Amino acid sequence: MHTTIRRRGIRTAVAVAGIAAVAALTACSGGGTTTSPTQGGDEPTTFTPAAKGEVDKITWNVFQGEPQTIDPYRSADYTPNMINSNLCENLLVQTPEFEIEPNLASSYSNPDPLTWVYDLRDDVTFWDGTPMTADDVVYSLNRNLTDPTSFYNYLYFNVDSIEKTGEHQVTIHLKSPDYLLNEELSNYAGVVVQQKFAEEAGENFGAPDTGVMCTGPFQFEKWTQGQSITVSRYDGYWNQDLQPKAKEIEFTFLTDDAAITSGLQSGQIDGTYGVPVSGVAQLKASGVGNYYTGPAPLETTLVVANPDGPAANEDVRKALQLAIDWKGIGTQVYGGLGTPSALQTPPAAYGFAEEQLTEYADTVATDGTPDLDAAKKIVDALPADVKADSISLVVPQQTETQQLGVAIKDAADQIGLNFELEVVPATGYSNYLYDPETRGDTDLLYTQFWPGVPNPLDWIAATAVTGGLFNQSGYSGVDDLYYQAVATEDEAERSALVVQIEEQLHDEMGPMFPGVALDNDVFMNKRITGAPAAFAYTYYPWAAYLGSAE
């Protein structure tokens, strides 16, 4: 699917981070003295300056650490997607401008409500030189349809069958109309891999000693476990408008803020997305490179994970939301890159319903300043047994998330809620999100969420519909409205249904809290340039833009 946590910089002692966070956030609504990364003349942009020439090698850090696999069907997080997006391609593509366009499929049509037809390019080859065929595409899509362990399987709930209908044509037959699925084929719901290679690899597909076989601008070379993944330029890449300029890219796995900052300053690392907030001012002053920000459909939120715990109480959620200083969190924890969001879906993901959702969001928007008095009134009216229950929040052990956790605990303490904060190793945090046994009776989970496509129905599907990967509490309150919206062809009618869903989710303050919408950021050594500044690195071949600045 398309999730999840953003890990930037691991720290070993929550007490130190906690003290710093509370001290900062106590005064943040008054406008503290911390310098924002967006100060100093930085203007958000979609692209950084275009590369002027080729470069032999680039070392790029993936801030979340080493992936468990590069199997695209099991890739739904920053690290694997940041790498895979340059290796494996989809039938459609979502651009840095958040537009959906043809890709491996040169065109598509919807001749009737139950049929989507995809005409395939005839000039695409895999890295071994063999052509991409309709059979490869049918196999690739069927993996998502039939494999329940795929993160994208749930998006195929309306698919009846997939068949080859021409030498370069594939047709998807639906059980009922679905006006979301087509756009989803621009993420790994529409990924294409080589059938022969994947079948021979079996369970080792995407493993360190096997890799993958795809059609992207870079090809898998080697995975040195614990150190890096190396990819090389594929000179037979089909897209003449996006020929890669870097001959080789080494993806490293540093997660510590200080180590990433030091690596960028020394030139051992050429670039990174998710620049450590603590290092931005230092890096900008160093003169070794350039810092950019860009638009992103990202939001830091809290997910209700326990349908039976105290956070399942609507009034508890409303009180906590009122008490949290989201304004301060956006300014201090995220260095000015975070803006309090009115809805659980951020503006960059409003998509086809942008006008209607913006109009509704304006009616419920705040600047994120806490309202402790209103929150205390709600808590005072709670039944004694509910107030006595302890609310648990789990966050990964990293600078930003620990600060976030301490700020939320401080808010809960101030209004009289019984609250426990648990910090767990960042490398194992995904287990809390995906494994019910690890999660246990945890009430709330941190996530930094992003959609698979810039479409509000995609966000809702993952977070608020039965079976959604980020609907850990099993919420089902908007299921009927969601399925009605997906099946509605008229965009205006579909938008009205989306607004109705968002209204209900906001009124219930669940199953995901509105948090802070985030901008994307990137830092590159001055010898290179070209990377999109917009959040485009999860499904788009962003590294093909990298090259020499001279």
Side-chain angles (χ1 to χ4, degrees):
M1 206 214 67
H2 43 271
T3 45
T4 169
I5 59 171
R6 192 181 196 185
R7 298 175 182 145
R8 302 199 305 196
I10 298 173
R11 288 291 182 268
T12 57
V14 66
V16 174
I19 292 170
V22 173
L25 287 167
T26 299
C28 37
S29 292
T33 59
T34 299
T35 301
S36 163
T38 57
Q39 293 174 352
D42 299 289
E43 292 293 333
T45 182
T46 299
F47 283 98
T48 63
K52 297 180 179 179
E54 293 189 346
V55 62
D56 287 335
K57 181 180 178 180
I58 291 173
T59 301
W60 195 274
N61 192 62
V62 286
F63 55 78
Q64 196 184 38
E66 186 171 12
Q68 295 179 342
T69 180
I70 56 169
D71 175 352
Y73 297 98
R74 292 168 174 80
S75 296
D77 220 330
Y78 291 96
T79 287
N81 287 50
M82 192 184 301
I83 299 168
N84 277 347
S85 59
N86 299 290
L87 304 176
C88 299
E89 298 184 287
N90 311 313
L91 286 184
L92 308 182
V93 68
Q94 47 188 300
T95 72
E97 294 87 1
F98 307 139
E99 299 291 335
I100 306 296
E101 297 179 352
N103 196 47
L104 296 180
S106 58
S107 64
Y108 55 86
S109 60
N110 184 212
D112 63 70
L114 298 181
T115 308
W116 286 92
V117 179
Y118 298 88
D119 291 316
L120 309 175
R121 298 187 64 95
D122 61 5
D123 57 352
V124 178
T125 60
F126 294 104
W127 304 322
D128 62 1
T130 61
M132 179 195 76
T133 68
D135 292 320
D136 291 307
V137 175
V138 170
Y139 168 81
S140 299
L141 299 182
N142 267 320
R143 282 190 65 151
N144 273 322
L145 173 63
T146 60
D147 183 0
T149 67
S150 167
F151 283 143
Y152 303 87
N153 168 262
Y154 78 101
L155 295 169
Y156 278 67
F157 70 92
N158 269 331
V159 176
D160 183 48
S161 64
I162 303 163
E163 66 171 332
K164 175 181 176 180
T165 48
E167 183 180 1
H168 300 290
Q169 188 181 83
V170 169
T171 298
I172 296 178
H173 301 284
L174 302 175
K175 302 171 186 174
S176 58
D178 191 323
Y179 294 98
L180 174 61
L181 177 66
N182 182 59
E183 289 193 12
E184 296 288 3
L185 299 187
S186 66
N187 63 45
Y188 292 149
V191 72
V192 176
V193 303
Q194 188 188 70
Q195 179 177 0
K196 178 177 181 291
F197 183 95
E199 289 181 335
E200 290 178 353
E203 288 300 314
N204 288 325
F205 186 66
D209 59 349
T210 307
V212 294
M213 179 61 68
C214 293
T215 65
F218 291 91
Q219 56 190 338
F220 175 81
E221 286 292 337
K222 65 178 180 178
W223 184 339
T224 304
Q225 288 184 273
Q227 180 177 322
S228 64
I229 290 176
T230 301
V231 302
S232 64
R233 180 171 67 189
Y234 176 45
D235 290 328
Y237 184 49
W238 63 271
N239 190 341
Q240 295 303 307
D241 295 328
L242 197 57
Q243 294 296 303
K245 296 178 177 62
K247 296 178 182 178
E248 180 179 287
I249 300 178
E250 181 181 15
F251 293 102
T252 56
F253 307 140
L254 294 178
T255 58
D256 179 77
D257 282 0
I260 295 171
T261 302
S262 176
L264 291 167
Q265 282 190 295
S266 68
Q268 291 181 309
I269 302 171
D270 291 309
T272 187
Y273 284 110
V275 187
V277 170
S278 60
V280 169
Q282 186 178 351
L283 288 167
K284 289 170 67 175
S286 70
V288 302
N290 298 295
Y291 175 84
Y292 304 92
T293 63
L298 287 166
E299 185 163 346
T300 291
T301 72
L302 300 179
V303 176
V304 179
N306 185 355
D308 301 314
N313 183 293
E314 184 176 313
D315 288 331
V316 168
R317 298 194 300 271
K318 290 179 177 179
L320 184 58
Q321 177 70 357
L322 284 169
I324 295 172
D325 186 1
W326 290 114
K327 180 179 180 180
I329 288 169
T331 301
Q332 301 295 335
V333 176
Y334 293 104
L337 294 181
T339 303
S341 183
L343 309 178
Q344 65 149 280
T345 305
Y350 285 176
F352 67 88
E354 180 178 9
E355 181 180 350
Q356 295 87 341
L357 282 177
T358 299
E359 182 178 351
Y360 168 63
D362 287 344
T363 67
V364 296
T366 74
D367 69 354
T369 301
D371 189 341
L372 296 177
D373 290 339
K376 286 177 181 177
K377 288 181 181 179
I378 295 175
V379 172
D380 289 344
L382 290 171
D385 60 332
V386 174
K387 282 193 286 187
D389 282 345
S390 179
I391 305 169
S392 57
L393 167 66
V394 176
V395 300
Q397 190 180 53
Q398 63 187 81
T399 303
E400 295 169 16
T401 50
Q402 290 179 180
Q403 291 178 350
L404 173 73
V406 171
I408 293 168
K409 175 172 170 51
D410 180 60
D413 290 344
Q414 288 190 66
I415 61 174
L417 290 175
N418 190 1
F419 198 91
E420 295 181 4
L421 174 64
E422 182 180 358
V423 180
V424 301
T427 52
Y429 183 72
S430 287
N431 292 331
Y432 283 84
L433 297 169
Y434 302 129
D435 180 20
E437 291 188 9
T438 301
R439 185 163 64 245
D441 58 1
T442 299
D443 294 301
L444 297 173
L445 293 169
Y446 152 86
T447 183
Q448 192 169 111
F449 193 80
W450 41 273
V453 293
N455 184 316
L457 285 172
D458 174 276
W459 190 290
I460 293 163
T463 63
V465 175
T466 300
L469 193 61
F470 264 63
N471 183 5
Q472 281 88 349
S473 65
Y475 176 79
S476 60
V478 297
D479 282 12
D480 290 344
L481 285 171
Y482 167 79
Y483 290 118
Q484 184 181 349
V486 166
T488 299
E489 181 177 11
D490 184 84
E491 197 168 273
E493 294 178 14
R494 198 181 332 135
S495 297
L497 290 167
V498 168
V499 171
Q500 191 175 342
I501 291 171
E502 292 283 1
E503 287 177 345
Q504 182 171 330
L505 296 177
H506 186 272
D507 290 345
E508 297 176 0
M509 198 51 61
M512 178 180 277
F513 285 54
V516 289
L518 298 170
D519 286 337
N520 191 50
D521 63 349
V522 60
F523 184 88
M524 289 178 288
N525 188 284
K526 60 185 177 183
R527 80 181 186 93
I528 65 168
T529 188
F535 184 77
Y537 56 76
T538 54
Y539 297 109
Y540 185 75
W542 60 274
Y545 288 91
L546 289 173
S548 172
E550 299 297 335

